[in-house]
Amino acid sequence: MELDDQFKLEHLLFYERKCRSCDQVKSLTEDFYVTRKDRTLLSSYSYECKECTKIRIKSKRTNNNWQYPDW
């Protein structure tokens, strides 16, 4: 048997990834953002899922209730 017969392309590419925030395994192409728009490689996806990214961004956002001083 040759080495090419033992491995398929599916074994070398990752289609699922574990989120670093919620530790759930999710689909790479559907549940993770692409970090660089010009790249199409599967390794160019982020390590944090879309849901956790949205939660992180919302929690870090400041409340802009600033008003002009009453002079």
Side-chain angles (χ1 to χ4, degrees):
M1 286 181 80
E2 293 183 18
L3 187 62
D4 295 334
D5 296 334
Q6 294 177 2
F7 291 104
K8 294 182 181 178
L9 184 62
E10 298 170 354
H11 294 117
L12 300 175
L13 298 176
F14 297 108
Y15 291 108
E16 293 182 341
R17 180 173 282 174
K18 184 177 179 182
C19 176
R20 68 178 179 186
S21 298
C22 64
D23 292 330
Q24 293 180 356
V25 177
K26 297 182 179 184
S27 172
L28 184 64
T29 56
E30 295 175 6
D31 295 326
F32 289 89
Y33 286 118
V34 178
T35 56
R36 295 179 184 93
K37 300 277 183 187
D38 59 340
R39 296 196 181 181
T40 57
L41 298 173
L42 294 177
S43 63
S44 64
Y45 286 85
S46 68
Y47 288 95
E48 187 177 45
C49 69
K50 289 181 179 181
E51 296 172 11
C52 292
T53 303
K54 291 175 187 176
I55 293 170
R56 178 177 53 87
I57 296 297
K58 284 180 183 178
S59 69
K60 300 291 182 182
R61 194 174 284 174
T62 60
N63 192 359
N64 292 333
N65 288 335
W66 189 80
Q67 296 177 356
Y68 284 104
D70 192 21
W71 296 344

